[in-house]
Amino acid sequence: MTLRQSTDPTSPGAPLLEVRDISKTFSMARSAREFFTGKPPQRLRALRNVSLAVAPGEILGVVGESGCGKSTLGRCLAGLEVPEQGELLWQGQRLHAKGDRKLRARSIQMVFQDPYASLNPRMSLGQMLEEALAVHQLGGSAAARRDRVDELLLMVGLTPKLRDRLPHAISGGQRQRISIARALAVEPRLLIADEPVSALDASVQAQIINLLEELREKLNIGMIFIAHDLNVVRHISDRIAVMYLGEVVETAETEALFAQPMHPYTHGLLAAIPQPDPRKRTRAPSIEGELPDPLNPPAGCSFSTRCPHMTPDCCSQRPALPAGVGSHPVRCIYPLTFKPSV
Ligand SMILES: Nc1ncnc2c1ncn2[C@@H]1O[C@H](COP(=O)(O)OP(=O)(O)O)[C@@H](O)[C@H]1O
Ligand SMILES: [Mg+2]
């Protein structure tokens, strides 16, 4: 794995995409009683003051438990959701929700967890890829478009002979390869892969991860690789952002995050990774307790209800994620500085 330039928003290298302090809430459906009594709908805070950046050719892993806001973040970046607060900058230029739709559609593409749900079951693989080119007036003449489809199939490790197959007639791994080919059709600069391997068998997971890594090398494409499992993002990511209850709680280069996790939540995630070698097992507890109700989050630090190092301050003060203090910001009043044996 090659480490790319630092994407700390304060570093001099220009990021491809920069996320500055975005927040997003969803309005919850009201019951009939609430509706008739005029009670305002409750708002669920899916993202809270999220800041991060990704450089050209860099893979940023985003990891956290189910419901922590990973997909909402991906959807905000791709323009499928609009954050209420904060801004997104594409190569230093502010992205606008409406006006920059075309730029985003060409520059940022998403790959989803379930390739079957995102592919049209009645269209052949070739037709789907041709359609992706046609939507953006790419590929030129019919013959040139056909050649480009073959090229895309080869790029994702599939034989062009599969072009007439329907999605149900190929394997899950091949379907995810087609989703990736479709995303690559418009030559995006940034790929957001939202749990792209979570629905696949372990051996196929590794193949898809290798493919994404190869594509990054070949195309110098930036990626945001979302997963709920820290082990899955480890091998592909240059840097990792750890999310908890809608917040980024720690961001660091992958090696640094594994060698010296500073947030108690990250430490708990690392402790939960099974270690076959007993000498390498850590005595740190894995995370206990339930994820708090996102409609009723803790007042101070969002992790305070489950943190083994919680102090009274943690229940009243919300820690900031400091910007510009090196490449390992952590949202904790008392960041852990010990070196765990994981
Ligand atoms: N369209 C929506 N309407 C209401 N709540 C939503 C919507 N999308 C996501 N949420 C809520 O926002 C939170 C974050 O969801 P999500 O981004 O899907 O998390 P993740 O991808 O990490 O599992 C969850 O509590 C989820 O229930
Ligand atoms: Mg998700």
Side-chain angles (χ1 to χ4, degrees):
M1 186 183 68
T2 0
L3 284 180
R4 303 292 156 132
Q5 78 189 88
S6 162
T7 55
D8 181 352
T10 55
S11 79
L16 192 57
L17 179 71
E18 191 179 333
V19 179
R20 283 196 191 154
D21 201 34
I22 63 166
S23 294
K24 171 80 190 165
T25 60
F26 290 110
S27 172
M28 302 308 289
R30 284 181 291 179
S31 66
R33 185 192 164 88
E34 287 167 341
F35 183 81
F36 287 113
T37 52
K39 198 173 166 216
Q42 272 188 297
R43 296 202 73 85
L44 183 146
R45 217 163 38 196
L47 292 179
R48 196 177 181 202
N49 306 112
V50 170
S51 295
L52 40 87
V54 60
E58 184 189 41
I59 302 186
L60 174 74
V62 173
V63 72
E65 282 166 278
S66 176
C68 72
K70 304 179 298 297
S71 295
T72 307
L73 173 64
R75 291 173 61 79
C76 284
L77 305 190
L80 304 172
E81 299 280 2
V82 182
E84 284 120 5
Q85 185 206 300
E87 55 182 17
L88 301 172
L89 286 94
W90 180 255
Q91 296 180 314
Q93 300 292 312
R94 193 172 170 180
L95 278 176
H96 296 278
K98 291 202 177 104
D100 292 317
R101 221 171 258 166
K102 219 170 172 180
L103 167 84
R104 265 204 250 214
R106 279 295 309 268
S107 311
I108 306 177
Q109 285 285 313
M110 276 193 92
V111 173
F112 298 96
Q113 174 175 347
D114 180 359
Y116 199 58
S118 61
L119 300 177
N120 183 337
R122 282 181 288 276
M123 273 174 119
S124 74
L125 310 181
Q127 282 170 332
M128 265 185 281
L129 295 178
E130 283 192 35
E131 185 192 58
L133 293 168
V135 166
H136 294 275
Q137 286 102 41
L138 295 168
S141 65
R145 212 171 267 173
R146 233 186 122 78
D147 289 347
R148 175 76 178 133
V149 166
D150 288 353
E151 191 185 12
L152 285 166
L153 288 167
L154 289 167
M155 204 185 276
V156 296
L158 295 174
T159 158
K161 284 185 198 149
L162 289 178
R163 57 163 33 252
D164 298 321
R165 293 266 183 98
L166 290 170
H168 72 81
I170 59 172
S171 71
Q174 288 174 325
R175 279 199 284 269
Q176 197 53 294
R177 286 175 192 268
I178 288 292
S179 309
I180 295 168
R182 195 175 53 173
L184 294 177
V186 299
E187 298 178 41
R189 303 284 317 279
L190 178 69
L191 196 66
I192 300 173
D194 187 358
E195 307 237 18
V197 299
S198 301
L200 304 173
D201 294 342
S203 61
V204 185
Q205 283 191 354
Q207 290 167 15
I208 297 292
I209 289 175
N210 288 344
L211 169 68
L212 290 171
E213 208 160 6
E214 266 170 49
L215 291 170
R216 174 269 283 273
E217 290 298 329
K218 225 182 270 172
L219 308 172
N220 195 37
I221 190 169
M223 288 188 204
I224 294 185
F225 186 101
I226 298 173
H228 59 264
D229 182 346
L230 197 48
N231 235 356
V232 168
V233 292
R234 179 175 193 168
H235 297 287
I236 192 170
S237 309
D238 299 311
R239 304 201 320 133
I240 294 178
V242 179
M243 288 188 71
Y244 185 78
L245 217 62
E247 297 178 326
V248 170
V249 294
E250 181 167 6
T251 309
E253 290 197 338
T254 304
E255 303 307 327
L257 191 92
F258 277 82
Q260 192 163 26
M262 293 210 284
H263 196 285
Y265 178 60
T266 313
H267 192 229
L269 286 181
L270 284 169
I273 296 176
Q275 277 291 347
D277 181 350
R279 284 165 304 172
K280 288 195 176 167
R281 280 185 200 145
T282 165
R283 265 169 291 150
S286 51
I287 306 146
E288 308 253 318
E290 293 289 309
L291 197 66
D293 177 1
L295 283 169
N296 189 17
C301 167
S302 57
F303 191 56
S304 58
T305 53
R306 297 167 88 187
C307 182
H309 309 279
M310 187 267 288
T311 69
D313 287 348
C314 304
C315 302
S316 56
Q317 290 177 33
R318 181 178 173 229
L321 186 72
V325 287
S327 55
H328 196 154
V330 52
R331 196 186 276 283
C332 177
I333 310 177
Y334 306 109
L336 302 178
T337 45
F338 55 85
K339 192 170 166 34
S341 54
V342 286

